[in-house]
Amino acid sequence: MTKYTDIVRKRLGWCPNADAVRKSRCTGVEQDCEHAWKRGGPDPGAAPESDAPAATPPGYQENILLILIAVAWLFPVVYQQEFLFLLMVISAVAVYCDAQNIHAGEKFEKETLLGDIVAWRPLTWGAATFVGGIIIMAIYLFHRKEIYTANMGKASS
């Protein structure tokens, strides 16, 4: 039993005397796990048997810059006239660029403003953020993963 816990510790990087091994298949020192597979254990290189979608789409990352800009809206100093306009422009440009990066609206032929937001194009997101400010930006941040997932098929092909 300790042999298998040592293998797990090495793979996770918990073993102080070994470097973390981040491979999908067992190699080298970890030949014992292949023998365990032959005895009826799970195949180390096989795909998971679950039909459930992954919690996070592959290649998806949170955009920390957008989150920081949204937090900046909470400071009272930004409600002075010159800072407010500057923050509106920065927010609109940041949302527009991020919507382009996640290929927002590419998979959908028709864009409707009152319809599904996953069909909105980057220019629509930028203009709506400029007009709606933090409210539209918050909607974008909360639905960003959904937008990415809905348009991922077009982006990868």
Side-chain angles (χ1 to χ4, degrees):
M1 185 67 165
T2 58
K3 187 185 295 186
Y4 294 110
T5 57
D6 289 341
I7 291 171
V8 170
R9 286 182 183 162
K10 284 181 185 178
R11 296 194 101 206
L12 295 176
W14 295 342
C15 184
N17 297 329
D19 294 330
V21 178
R22 305 265 185 223
K23 295 182 181 177
S24 61
R25 293 188 176 260
C26 298
T27 59
V29 178
E30 298 172 330
Q31 293 294 327
D32 292 333
C33 74
E34 287 185 15
H35 296 299
W37 170 70
K38 290 177 184 174
R39 285 178 277 180
D43 182 4
E49 295 177 11
S50 173
D51 290 335
T56 304
Y60 177 79
Q61 294 179 349
E62 293 292 332
N63 191 333
I64 301 300
L65 178 64
L66 285 178
I67 294 170
L68 291 175
I69 292 172
V71 169
W73 279 91
L74 300 176
F75 293 108
V77 72
V78 301
Y79 294 107
Q80 296 174 0
Q81 188 174 6
E82 56 276 347
F83 289 122
L84 183 61
F85 182 74
L86 179 66
L87 190 61
M88 287 173 59
V89 170
I90 290 172
S91 298
V93 170
V95 169
Y96 171 77
C97 291
D98 187 65
Q100 277 187 327
N101 287 337
I102 65 170
H103 305 282
E106 280 189 9
K107 191 174 181 182
F108 300 92
E109 294 177 14
K110 185 177 179 184
E111 177 183 17
T112 58
L113 290 178
L114 300 176
D116 199 4
I117 62 170
V118 297
W120 287 15
R121 305 246 189 309
L123 187 59
T124 306
W125 277 113
T129 302
F130 183 74
V131 172
I134 186 64
I135 295 171
I136 301 297
M137 190 171 185
I139 291 170
Y140 178 76
L141 284 171
F142 283 115
H143 291 283
R144 188 173 179 271
K145 188 183 292 185
E146 178 185 349
I147 294 166
Y148 177 80
T149 304
N151 292 289
M152 193 171 65
K154 181 78 170 192
S156 63
S157 60

